[in-house]
mmCIF file of all heavy atoms in Angstrom:
data_model
loop_
_atom_site.group_PDB
_atom_site.id
_atom_site.type_symbol
_atom_site.label_atom_id
_atom_site.label_comp_id
_atom_site.label_asym_id
_atom_site.label_seq_id
_atom_site.Cartn_x
_atom_site.Cartn_y
_atom_site.Cartn_z
ATOM 1 N N THR A 92 -15.257 -11.832 7.150
ATOM 2 C CA THR A 92 -15.505 -12.231 5.740
ATOM 3 C C THR A 92 -16.247 -11.186 4.970
ATOM 4 O O THR A 92 -15.974 -10.860 3.828
ATOM 5 C CB THR A 92 -16.228 -13.563 5.686
ATOM 6 O OG1 THR A 92 -15.479 -14.553 6.416
ATOM 7 C CG2 THR A 92 -16.442 -14.029 4.265
ATOM 8 N N ASP A 93 -17.266 -10.588 5.661
ATOM 9 C CA ASP A 93 -18.073 -9.532 5.020
ATOM 10 C C ASP A 93 -17.518 -8.132 5.275
ATOM 11 O O ASP A 93 -17.435 -7.298 4.348
ATOM 12 C CB ASP A 93 -19.530 -9.613 5.515
ATOM 13 C CG ASP A 93 -20.245 -10.886 5.127
ATOM 14 O OD1 ASP A 93 -19.970 -11.321 3.962
ATOM 15 O OD2 ASP A 93 -21.017 -11.429 5.901
ATOM 16 N N LEU A 94 -17.077 -7.901 6.498
ATOM 17 C CA LEU A 94 -16.663 -6.526 6.860
ATOM 18 C C LEU A 94 -15.450 -6.064 6.056
ATOM 19 O O LEU A 94 -15.375 -4.862 5.710
ATOM 20 C CB LEU A 94 -16.331 -6.481 8.332
ATOM 21 C CG LEU A 94 -17.500 -6.641 9.339
ATOM 22 C CD1 LEU A 94 -16.973 -6.667 10.750
ATOM 23 C CD2 LEU A 94 -18.515 -5.554 9.105
ATOM 24 N N PHE A 95 -14.525 -6.950 5.738
ATOM 25 C CA PHE A 95 -13.338 -6.504 5.023
ATOM 26 C C PHE A 95 -13.594 -6.070 3.570
ATOM 27 O O PHE A 95 -12.823 -5.409 2.974
ATOM 28 C CB PHE A 95 -12.280 -7.602 5.019
ATOM 29 C CG PHE A 95 -10.903 -7.174 4.649
ATOM 30 C CD1 PHE A 95 -10.124 -6.414 5.509
ATOM 31 C CD2 PHE A 95 -10.409 -7.388 3.365
ATOM 32 C CE1 PHE A 95 -8.838 -5.962 5.086
ATOM 33 C CE2 PHE A 95 -9.151 -6.968 2.939
ATOM 34 C CZ PHE A 95 -8.374 -6.256 3.830
ATOM 35 N N GLN A 96 -14.795 -6.423 3.054
ATOM 36 C CA GLN A 96 -15.143 -6.068 1.678
ATOM 37 C C GLN A 96 -15.100 -4.550 1.498
ATOM 38 O O GLN A 96 -14.855 -4.075 0.364
ATOM 39 C CB GLN A 96 -16.483 -6.604 1.316
ATOM 40 C CG GLN A 96 -16.671 -8.132 1.409
ATOM 41 C CD GLN A 96 -15.799 -8.889 0.505
ATOM 42 O OE1 GLN A 96 -14.573 -9.068 0.763
ATOM 43 N NE2 GLN A 96 -16.318 -9.334 -0.630
ATOM 44 N N ALA A 97 -15.352 -3.803 2.515
ATOM 45 C CA ALA A 97 -15.350 -2.342 2.453
ATOM 46 C C ALA A 97 -13.956 -1.808 2.091
ATOM 47 O O ALA A 97 -13.835 -0.696 1.547
ATOM 48 C CB ALA A 97 -15.833 -1.703 3.749
ATOM 49 N N TYR A 98 -12.908 -2.562 2.358
ATOM 50 C CA TYR A 98 -11.521 -2.169 2.040
ATOM 51 C C TYR A 98 -11.076 -2.781 0.711
ATOM 52 O O TYR A 98 -10.182 -2.218 0.088
ATOM 53 C CB TYR A 98 -10.584 -2.532 3.170
ATOM 54 C CG TYR A 98 -10.912 -1.830 4.425
ATOM 55 C CD1 TYR A 98 -11.623 -2.495 5.485
ATOM 56 C CD2 TYR A 98 -10.536 -0.529 4.642
ATOM 57 C CE1 TYR A 98 -11.937 -1.815 6.630
ATOM 58 C CE2 TYR A 98 -10.842 0.140 5.837
ATOM 59 C CZ TYR A 98 -11.545 -0.525 6.828
ATOM 60 O OH TYR A 98 -11.854 0.157 7.967
ATOM 61 N N LEU A 99 -11.706 -3.845 0.297
ATOM 62 C CA LEU A 99 -11.315 -4.521 -0.929
ATOM 63 C C LEU A 99 -11.831 -3.808 -2.132
ATOM 64 O O LEU A 99 -11.195 -3.810 -3.204
ATOM 65 C CB LEU A 99 -11.841 -5.955 -0.921
ATOM 66 C CG LEU A 99 -11.540 -6.840 -2.149
ATOM 67 C CD1 LEU A 99 -10.018 -7.024 -2.337
ATOM 68 C CD2 LEU A 99 -12.255 -8.178 -1.997
ATOM 69 N N TYR A 100 -12.988 -3.163 -2.016
ATOM 70 C CA TYR A 100 -13.622 -2.429 -3.123
ATOM 71 C C TYR A 100 -13.832 -0.949 -2.848
ATOM 72 O O TYR A 100 -14.028 -0.585 -1.674
ATOM 73 C CB TYR A 100 -15.019 -3.055 -3.476
ATOM 74 C CG TYR A 100 -15.009 -4.525 -3.796
ATOM 75 C CD1 TYR A 100 -15.424 -5.452 -2.857
ATOM 76 C CD2 TYR A 100 -14.683 -4.978 -5.077
ATOM 77 C CE1 TYR A 100 -15.478 -6.793 -3.153
ATOM 78 C CE2 TYR A 100 -14.708 -6.315 -5.374
ATOM 79 C CZ TYR A 100 -15.115 -7.235 -4.423
ATOM 80 O OH TYR A 100 -15.165 -8.567 -4.729
ATOM 81 N N ASP A 101 -13.865 -0.135 -3.869
ATOM 82 C CA ASP A 101 -14.297 1.226 -3.689
ATOM 83 C C ASP A 101 -15.843 1.260 -3.881
ATOM 84 O O ASP A 101 -16.481 0.214 -4.052
ATOM 85 C CB ASP A 101 -13.602 2.232 -4.649
ATOM 86 C CG ASP A 101 -13.995 1.994 -6.131
ATOM 87 O OD1 ASP A 101 -14.937 1.206 -6.451
ATOM 88 O OD2 ASP A 101 -13.341 2.582 -7.011
ATOM 89 N N VAL A 102 -16.463 2.446 -3.839
ATOM 90 C CA VAL A 102 -17.928 2.493 -3.887
ATOM 91 C C VAL A 102 -18.481 2.117 -5.273
ATOM 92 O O VAL A 102 -19.680 1.911 -5.426
ATOM 93 C CB VAL A 102 -18.417 3.915 -3.502
ATOM 94 C CG1 VAL A 102 -18.106 4.180 -2.067
ATOM 95 C CG2 VAL A 102 -17.863 4.985 -4.433
ATOM 96 N N GLU A 103 -17.625 2.030 -6.278
ATOM 97 C CA GLU A 103 -18.078 1.617 -7.604
ATOM 98 C C GLU A 103 -17.767 0.129 -7.866
ATOM 99 O O GLU A 103 -17.968 -0.383 -8.949
ATOM 100 C CB GLU A 103 -17.398 2.436 -8.667
ATOM 101 C CG GLU A 103 -17.793 3.899 -8.632
ATOM 102 C CD GLU A 103 -17.135 4.748 -9.715
ATOM 103 O OE1 GLU A 103 -16.106 4.313 -10.275
ATOM 104 O OE2 GLU A 103 -17.674 5.825 -10.070
ATOM 105 N N GLY A 104 -17.336 -0.545 -6.784
ATOM 106 C CA GLY A 104 -17.116 -1.981 -6.941
ATOM 107 C C GLY A 104 -15.810 -2.389 -7.577
ATOM 108 O O GLY A 104 -15.661 -3.542 -8.010
ATOM 109 N N LYS A 105 -14.841 -1.469 -7.669
ATOM 110 C CA LYS A 105 -13.559 -1.715 -8.306
ATOM 111 C C LYS A 105 -12.523 -2.101 -7.216
ATOM 112 O O LYS A 105 -12.534 -1.500 -6.131
ATOM 113 C CB LYS A 105 -13.069 -0.495 -9.089
ATOM 114 C CG LYS A 105 -13.950 -0.155 -10.284
ATOM 115 C CD LYS A 105 -13.385 1.017 -11.086
ATOM 116 C CE LYS A 105 -14.204 1.255 -12.372
ATOM 117 N NZ LYS A 105 -15.574 1.607 -12.095
ATOM 118 N N TYR A 106 -11.692 -3.058 -7.548
ATOM 119 C CA TYR A 106 -10.688 -3.564 -6.577
ATOM 120 C C TYR A 106 -9.696 -2.413 -6.180
ATOM 121 O O TYR A 106 -9.170 -1.702 -7.019
ATOM 122 C CB TYR A 106 -9.892 -4.696 -7.112
ATOM 123 C CG TYR A 106 -10.651 -6.012 -7.177
ATOM 124 C CD1 TYR A 106 -11.040 -6.563 -8.384
ATOM 125 C CD2 TYR A 106 -10.967 -6.663 -5.993
ATOM 126 C CE1 TYR A 106 -11.748 -7.793 -8.388
ATOM 127 C CE2 TYR A 106 -11.672 -7.839 -6.009
ATOM 128 C CZ TYR A 106 -12.064 -8.414 -7.211
ATOM 129 O OH TYR A 106 -12.736 -9.632 -7.244
#
Side-chain angles (χ1 to χ4, degrees):
T92 302
D93 294 323
L94 293 177
F95 193 77
Q96 302 297 79
Y98 296 100
L99 179 62
Y100 301 102
D101 68 9
V102 294
E103 294 182 339
K105 295 182 174 63
Y106 285 111

